[in-house]
Amino acid sequence: MTGRPIPAWFTDAKFGIFVHWGAYSVPAWAEPTGELGAIDPEVWFAHNPYAEWYWNTSQIEGSPAHEHHRTVHGGRPYDDFLDAWKAELFDPADWVDLFARAGARYVIPTTKHHDGIALWDAPGTGSRNTVHRGPRRDLIADLAAAVRARELRFGVYYSGGLDWYAGRRAVIRHEDLIDDYGRPQEAAYAAYALRQVHDLVDRYRPEVLWNDIGWPDAGMADLPELFARYYAAVPDGVVNDRWDGAHADYLTSEYQANRQNEAGAVPWENCRGIGLSFGYNRNEGPEHLLEPAAAVRLLVDVVSRGGNLLLNVGPKSDGTLPEEQRAVLEGIAAWMAHHSPAVHATSPLAPGAAEPRDGGPWIRWTRDDRYAYAFIADAPASGEVLLRTAQGLLDPDTALRLDGRPAQARTVADGVLVTSDALGAPMPVVVRFALSSLAS
């Protein structure tokens, strides 16, 4: 980790939107097998639920993706999907309006994923990018302009450690083979990737530099200069931790993987899709997707433990957001309209100050300088909920529901007893309390 203080905007933001969009949005197919970190790694690659990995998965003989590619797409070359990707309905202002209403404070699109196709006129790509083929536009510039027009922060994702085109390697069939057979480690690819990241910084001044799958061995010595140049260009920028240990402003987890990074005082961010894939997967059904209440609870849980949530959308190839993904973001937006003060610019309560619960009812906590916020769902029909807190932590006379509905509270032996209606729904209700001097 760097000793550089992380900019306050990032730790206050709490919520960002990830965007995985590429030629893989044309086939838009993967097996919805489960979450990363919860699936046996022995079966992950042949049954990969990530649609953005379609090129690799469809080359694994015997995999369902291989059979799908043969029967549905006739085994066509992957780059045919780049030419079929038109983005003809892409309206970046519409996307960002929804992201902003949902309470997101930053947006990070994929600029080049593992397939090596760049969403801008990246140096070294020739015509293999969206400016010269497929959509025939600089998708990154268009999205950056829309994000900044809404005064959100703009970041970029870049796949530094995998490139199945410029860094040609064997098909990855097992995670143990990524380093030996999957990742290009040569000097030529390292120079290629470095030039592209410099170009992203120079063109778009991204406030988040989000690398993936590490960095080629031959280019590790270049990274200190890259980071110095980045911070000089973007003084309030932040860098994630996926640079093979070279540097990080904050740590990341992904679905259930690397959850150990969520412990301790180091800033962290959990990323995941609304479904089981980052890229749009037409093969996912409602049973694979977060419902709005589950998405809000996920956000609240992450924030209550001191992290940020980077929730992904996977647009269709025409540039529209799938309706089922829009519905989740609209649900978050409706909730955030009343409850965002309990999320943004908050921090966790001190350990032992109050007790979170996972059932009967579900409870989480955040705080700011003046108030503590209790998030309550799945409460008993009686409308009474015991909030187990340290004695004297909260002033029960100041209890206030952020949605404007009435709430009463009184001190009892184990904490504070709250009485209010409609606490049994799955969507959390927030009750605000003034903090006593004991909470300082």
Side-chain angles (χ1 to χ4, degrees):
M1 293 295 296
T2 177
R4 171 180 176 267
I6 193 164
W9 78 259
F10 182 79
T11 53
D12 287 347
K14 305 305 179 187
F15 186 31
I17 296 292
F18 222 177
V19 181
H20 275 62
W21 197 24
Y24 46 80
S25 303
V26 176
W29 196 94
E31 284 184 272
T33 47
E35 296 188 1
L36 181 69
I39 295 180
D40 186 341
E42 295 296 324
V43 303
W44 173 267
F45 285 96
H47 303 274
N48 197 324
Y50 288 179
E52 66 275 16
W53 276 70
Y54 183 82
W55 193 6
N56 186 83
T57 315
S58 66
Q59 295 180 83
I60 300 176
E61 292 186 10
S63 72
H66 183 272
E67 181 63 14
H68 175 84
H69 190 61
R70 183 186 68 82
T71 58
V72 176
H73 298 290
R76 65 197 296 190
Y78 181 81
D79 275 25
D80 283 3
F81 296 129
L82 170 56
D83 296 316
W85 175 25
K86 300 303 183 184
E88 66 273 18
L89 300 179
F90 176 41
D91 181 352
D94 173 68
W95 287 13
V96 178
D97 175 70
L98 178 56
F99 302 160
R101 288 190 291 106
R105 295 290 178 85
Y106 59 106
V107 178
I108 304 176
T110 52
T111 65
K112 185 205 77 169
H113 206 264
H114 311 330
D115 61 7
I117 295 171
L119 278 65
W120 87 106
D121 194 8
T125 57
S127 64
R128 197 174 183 268
N129 59 62
T130 62
V131 174
H132 296 281
R133 293 171 62 182
R136 297 190 179 275
R137 60 194 288 188
D138 184 334
L139 300 174
I140 301 306
D142 291 346
L143 191 52
V147 167
R148 287 173 169 146
R150 287 300 300 263
E151 299 184 345
L152 306 183
R153 303 280 182 159
F154 182 73
V156 294
Y157 165 106
Y158 183 83
S159 176
L162 280 181
D163 190 314
W164 299 322
Y165 186 84
R168 295 177 183 83
R169 287 295 184 97
V171 175
I172 302 169
R173 293 177 169 82
H174 192 280
E175 66 178 341
D176 293 343
L177 303 178
I178 291 180
D179 285 342
D180 291 339
Y181 297 101
R183 292 179 53 191
Q185 305 287 12
E186 299 82 7
Y189 174 71
Y192 174 87
L194 182 66
R195 185 182 174 197
Q196 291 185 352
V197 174
H198 279 319
D199 193 58
L200 287 170
V201 172
D202 292 344
R203 287 181 190 243
Y204 308 114
R205 295 295 195 269
E207 282 113 328
V208 184
L209 196 57
W210 213 103
N211 187 59
D212 202 11
I213 318 287
W215 197 255
D217 289 351
M220 293 300 291
D222 300 322
L223 292 182
E225 186 276 335
L226 170 62
F227 300 135
R229 179 172 169 176
Y230 171 62
Y231 292 130
V234 189
D236 59 349
V238 292
V239 173
N240 77 337
D241 61 342
R242 301 189 182 191
W243 303 84
D244 285 333
H247 176 78
D249 287 315
Y250 69 95
L251 305 179
T252 61
S253 58
E254 184 172 328
Y255 287 94
Q256 303 305 316
N258 296 316
R259 295 295 296 273
Q260 73 277 2
N261 288 341
E262 300 176 4
V266 177
W268 58 273
E269 173 190 76
N270 175 254
C271 68
R272 62 155 293 154
I274 289 174
L276 300 174
S277 175
F278 287 92
Y280 172 56
N281 182 10
R282 67 179 80 248
N283 205 26
E284 289 183 340
E287 69 275 19
H288 305 119
L289 305 173
L290 293 173
E291 294 184 348
V296 168
R297 289 199 202 194
L298 172 65
L299 171 62
V300 169
D301 177 68
V302 166
V303 173
S304 75
R305 294 184 291 113
N308 286 11
L309 176 65
L310 186 61
L311 186 64
N312 181 80
V313 296
K316 294 183 176 182
S317 63
D318 65 4
T320 60
L321 298 176
E323 286 304 314
E324 58 272 20
Q325 295 184 25
R326 291 193 72 102
V328 172
L329 294 181
E330 290 287 3
I332 298 173
W335 184 85
M336 277 286 204
H338 298 288
H339 301 106
S340 64
V343 174
H344 296 130
T346 62
S347 59
L349 285 178
E355 179 184 279
R357 294 181 63 179
D358 285 323
W362 185 92
I363 299 172
R364 293 294 187 273
W365 294 88
T366 63
R367 62 162 293 172
D368 57 26
D369 290 341
R370 298 177 59 194
Y371 300 109
Y373 302 93
F375 300 80
I376 305 168
D378 297 342
S382 66
E384 288 191 342
V385 174
L386 174 62
L387 303 176
R388 296 184 181 275
T389 66
Q391 285 295 321
L393 177 74
L394 310 177
D395 180 353
D397 293 336
T398 64
L400 176 74
R401 275 181 59 159
L402 295 190
D403 62 5
R405 301 179 74 165
Q408 293 80 41
R410 59 187 175 90
T411 300
V412 294
D414 295 327
V416 172
L417 187 68
V418 172
T419 304
S420 189
D421 63 351
L423 298 180
M427 190 69 83
V429 165
V430 179
V431 181
R432 189 190 77 184
F433 297 89
L435 285 164
S436 75
S437 59
L438 296 177
S440 300

